[in-house]
Amino acid sequence: MKWRNLTSQNSVLMALLHPLRFQSTPSPSSLSYAPIFQFLTGLNLLKLGQQTHAHLILRGLVPHSFLGAKMVAMYASSGDIDSAILLFDRIRQNASTLLYNSIIRACSLYGLSERCVTVFKEMDSGGVRGDYFTFPFVLKSCADLGDVRVGKCVHGKGLRSGLEFDFYVGTSVIDFYVKCGEFGDARKLFDEMPVRDVSSWNALIAGYMKNGLVQVAEDLFSQMSNRNIVSWTAMISGYTQNGFANHAFKLFDEMTNDSSNVKPNWVTIMSILPACAQFSDLERGREIHTYATSIGLNVNVSVQTALAAMYAKCGSLSDAQICFEKIPRYKRNLVSWNTMISVYASHGHGIKSVATFDDMIRAGVQPDAITFTGLLSGCSHSGLVDTGLNYFNSIKTKYNIEPTQEHYACVVDLLGRGGRLNEAYELASKMPMPPGASIWGALLSASKTHRNLEIAEISAKKLFVLEPENSGNYVVLSNMYAEAGMWIEVNNLRNLLKTRGVKKNPGCSWIDVNGKLHTFLGGDKSHPMSGEIYEFLEALPEKMKVFGYVAETTFALHDVSDEEREQSLGSHSEKLAVAFGILSTSSGAIIRVTKNLRICGDCHKVMKFVSKIYGREIVVRDVNRFHHFKEGLCSCGDYW
């Protein structure tokens, strides 16, 4: 029953309480309390539930299994899992299947997976048989733990109970095998099911997509005769996660077609928005935003948060801010706050990241590990060294969060960018876990910026072991050797690259103009407008030199002449994309370019001059962050 208002709830509650309020006997039956606890379950009326529990105790009653199950469910649904567990522990002797199911469900939903499995083992060893309600929650906990052995045992118990082909249990078993990567067992069970409901299909499709088996998922989807919203959303989400944005858009368009009998819901909208971010397709993102608004989903907090993230990743910080501001302050959850803190960080607005964090704390929302990753990243990209260190030191002491590898990487980056390389290296050497690639990568980048060849060599050699296929690490060290005139070391690195078969990742940039994506590689001349693009770029140096431009040839270090280096810099992919953008759009239009690598120093300098000469705002999203160039300045303040 759906309660229309508080009056309806109160009326029912008064009717249920009536026998207790006017009962004269000192020891009424505990059965009288069961309907009350059942009514309170899911209503988040914990105080009233506690008062009813106190009333029961004052009457000298001890809950039996049936009443205990109702009470455990009430406490768990009201957010008090500790009381639910405590109550169960007090009355667990001679517990029924119903009581076990209540605590198993509560532990599973609260993520207490180990406890859930332990309770099930106790239940089984005590001779209490599980039912169709027991096994799905235990299997979910096994999947969360990644415990294939125990999960298979639970599957066996279900088999012996004759529940394997129950829709609910069968789907849970498939979902368990899929989440643990046991696709052979999952598919075998699926194929043997005499009757499959849509949930079984959906579990298998979602699992295949999650593990990158896109073609297999597509084949299953095409075979489905009865697709529901979950089926469509699983495919769209899977396409997005696997980098098939165009496939995701095609399926979304089918759903929104007038002839479709299944329409997107808020989960679908959240699944399609990351596809827009993959190619920085801002216009497509705006279209989806308009559609979500037309069907009333724009008021959903999760959708507004996802829209803010999409706009930010497509380079429109102002739209991201608008979406965040539209979420009522009292409805902003941890995900919303974390998203905006990270948005400001990625766009180089560290001070705003800090201010947003402070607003979150004032709003009474407690941070988590993700919060501090965004916050420390914002401090790092904005030169807020002391501020960042203060927050890092407070993670454990003030917020009781154990610092992670990501947090240490942010602080190493923070110190390195600030020129405090020795402190950064010392932190990396003394951190409580082995430094990963992100730590050494931050040190290598900082060593390059501050020309510290000693730490660069140490960092690069660690990276050659941790990520031997990443050509960027070899290139950075090679360029530093070349700058120092150490050509023997340069040749040794080139030979190492050849021996290991490592290929350099080519610079690639793309730009969306009038709904069409244009991609450029460094030195590329395959674009239909290549003639005009190169003519534009060839004329650019003279125009920039009037304003003081000098080419940063250290970013094209090879044993070649300065003239050759300058020519090499002139055809970097982001310059080609920006030139095309200026030639192909109207005066005043914002140029938005995405690059697969970090923007080089010369390109960064050129973008500032171009923004001033042509009066354009240029937004470049590289592998690390966003750069907003306007009137000859960059939002990063040249601190990147």
Side-chain angles (χ1 to χ4, degrees), residues 23-329:
Q23 208 156 17
S24 57
T25 59
S27 301
S29 169
S30 58
L31 286 173
S32 306
Y33 290 87
I36 301 171
F37 287 111
Q38 184 167 343
F39 172 78
L40 293 174
T41 300
L43 294 182
N44 200 27
L45 297 173
L46 178 60
K47 192 70 176 177
L48 194 53
Q50 291 171 330
Q51 290 172 342
T52 308
H53 188 177
H55 189 277
L56 182 147
I57 293 171
L58 288 172
R59 294 295 180 96
L61 297 174
V62 177
H64 48 65
S65 276
F66 179 75
L67 175 59
K70 304 299 180 185
M71 295 172 71
V72 166
M74 182 280 296
Y75 276 119
S77 71
S78 302
D80 190 354
I81 185 63
D82 291 335
S83 293
I85 292 172
L86 184 63
L87 177 63
F88 172 78
D89 287 341
R90 286 178 177 172
I91 61 175
R92 68 197 308 164
Q93 293 211 351
N94 301 317
S96 64
T97 299
L98 183 64
L99 178 56
Y100 272 118
N101 283 350
S102 292
I103 195 65
I104 283 172
R105 178 182 187 275
C107 290
S108 177
L109 295 180
Y110 274 84
L112 304 175
S113 303
E114 290 185 10
R115 179 142 198 155
C116 176
V117 173
T118 300
V119 171
F120 174 75
K121 288 178 179 177
E122 174 196 303
M123 175 185 182
D124 183 62
S125 62
V128 182
R129 292 187 62 179
D131 58 16
Y132 66 91
F133 196 84
T134 315
F135 292 102
F137 291 108
V138 180
L139 286 164
K140 177 184 179 298
S141 293
C142 289
D144 291 341
L145 293 169
D147 196 330
V148 178
R149 184 185 63 82
V150 173
K152 285 187 173 183
C153 291
V154 175
H155 179 194
K157 296 288 183 184
L159 274 172
R160 287 188 284 278
S161 299
L163 295 170
E164 182 181 22
F165 295 124
D166 174 89
F167 284 151
Y168 192 30
V169 176
T171 299
S172 299
V173 176
I174 290 173
D175 189 56
F176 156 72
Y177 279 126
V178 162
K179 287 178 178 176
C180 290
E182 301 288 325
F183 287 98
D185 289 319
R187 188 58 186 260
K188 183 174 182 290
L189 178 60
F190 177 81
D191 290 338
E192 289 176 351
M193 293 178 78
V195 181
R196 307 169 188 140
D197 72 340
V198 69
S199 299
S200 305
W201 291 83
N202 292 343
L204 206 52
I205 286 172
Y208 282 133
M209 279 297 197
K210 186 177 180 181
N211 285 269
L213 301 170
V214 177
Q215 183 62 59
V216 184
E218 287 177 332
D219 292 341
L220 273 177
F221 185 72
S222 66
Q223 295 171 32
M224 290 183 74
S225 57
N226 181 28
R227 303 167 182 165
N228 63 10
I229 183 65
V230 179
S231 317
W232 287 85
T233 302
M235 288 298 294
I236 289 172
S237 177
Y239 279 137
T240 302
Q241 291 167 8
N242 286 285
F244 293 93
N246 289 333
H247 290 69
F249 289 140
K250 183 180 178 182
L251 217 53
F252 184 79
D253 290 340
E254 283 185 42
M255 288 187 77
T256 55
N257 191 290
D258 291 338
S259 61
S260 173
N261 60 353
V262 180
K263 298 298 181 184
N265 63 8
W266 67 274
V267 182
T268 318
I269 299 296
M270 290 184 64
S271 298
I272 191 65
L273 287 172
C276 304
Q278 280 181 20
F279 295 115
S280 299
D281 195 341
L282 182 61
E283 292 312 309
R284 184 74 191 214
R286 292 192 198 282
E287 290 173 8
I288 294 170
H289 187 178
T290 300
Y291 175 81
T293 302
S294 72
I295 58 175
L297 292 177
N298 60 311
V299 296
N300 182 289
V301 174
S302 296
V303 170
Q304 281 289 4
T305 301
L307 283 166
M310 179 276 295
Y311 278 124
K313 289 175 181 176
C314 289
S316 181
L317 180 59
S318 58
D319 282 313
Q321 289 171 314
I322 290 170
C323 289
F324 180 72
E325 292 300 329
K326 282 184 177 179
I327 303 173
R329 196 173 184 83

Side-chain angles (χ1 to χ4, degrees), residues 508-635:
C508 177
S509 298
W510 54 93
I511 180 173
D512 187 290
V513 175
N514 298 325
K516 184 178 178 182
L517 196 69
H518 298 262
T519 304
F520 297 89
L521 296 174
D524 192 0
K525 293 188 178 180
S526 62
H527 194 275
M529 287 183 59
S530 286
E532 296 96 314
I533 291 170
Y534 277 91
E535 185 178 340
F536 175 92
L537 291 175
E538 285 168 8
L540 193 56
E542 290 304 316
K543 294 182 179 180
M544 294 190 295
K545 283 174 182 176
V546 174
F547 294 94
Y549 167 74
V550 177
E552 291 275 3
T553 55
T554 55
F555 294 97
L557 284 171
H558 301 289
D559 41 351
V560 296
S561 68
D562 286 345
E563 185 179 353
E564 289 175 297
R565 294 176 190 174
E566 200 165 331
Q567 288 175 350
S568 170
L569 288 170
S571 59
H572 278 193
S573 64
E574 57 266 54
K575 288 174 183 166
L576 298 175
V578 167
F580 171 73
I582 290 175
L583 292 169
S584 306
T585 58
S586 58
S587 176
I590 299 175
I591 308 295
R592 302 179 194 276
V593 171
T594 303
K595 181 177 171 63
N596 68 329
L597 304 174
R598 186 185 183 194
I599 186 173
C600 83
D602 185 70
C603 287
H604 189 270
K605 179 185 286 189
V606 167
M607 298 306 166
K608 290 194 292 183
F609 281 106
V610 171
S611 70
K612 183 174 184 178
I613 293 168
Y614 292 92
R616 296 290 197 103
E617 182 178 350
I618 302 170
V619 181
V620 177
R621 172 189 175 186
D622 72 6
V623 71
N624 289 331
R625 62 179 295 166
F626 285 86
H627 297 267
H628 295 254
F629 301 94
K630 192 173 183 180
E631 297 177 357
L633 300 173
C634 180
S635 59

Side-chain angles (χ1 to χ4, degrees), residues 376-429:
L376 292 171
S377 176
C379 293
S380 174
H381 286 299
S382 301
L384 305 175
V385 180
D386 292 332
T387 302
L389 289 174
N390 287 335
Y391 280 122
F392 177 69
N393 292 330
S394 73
I395 293 178
K396 189 171 184 179
T397 57
K398 188 173 181 180
Y399 298 101
N400 200 30
I401 297 170
E402 200 66 39
T404 66
Q405 178 101 209
E406 288 75 19
H407 298 141
Y408 278 98
C410 288
V411 178
V412 168
D413 190 51
L414 175 80
L415 291 167
R417 287 176 187 272
R420 294 159 65 169
L421 268 170
N422 289 330
E423 290 178 63
Y425 178 69
E426 186 178 351
L427 178 64
S429 302

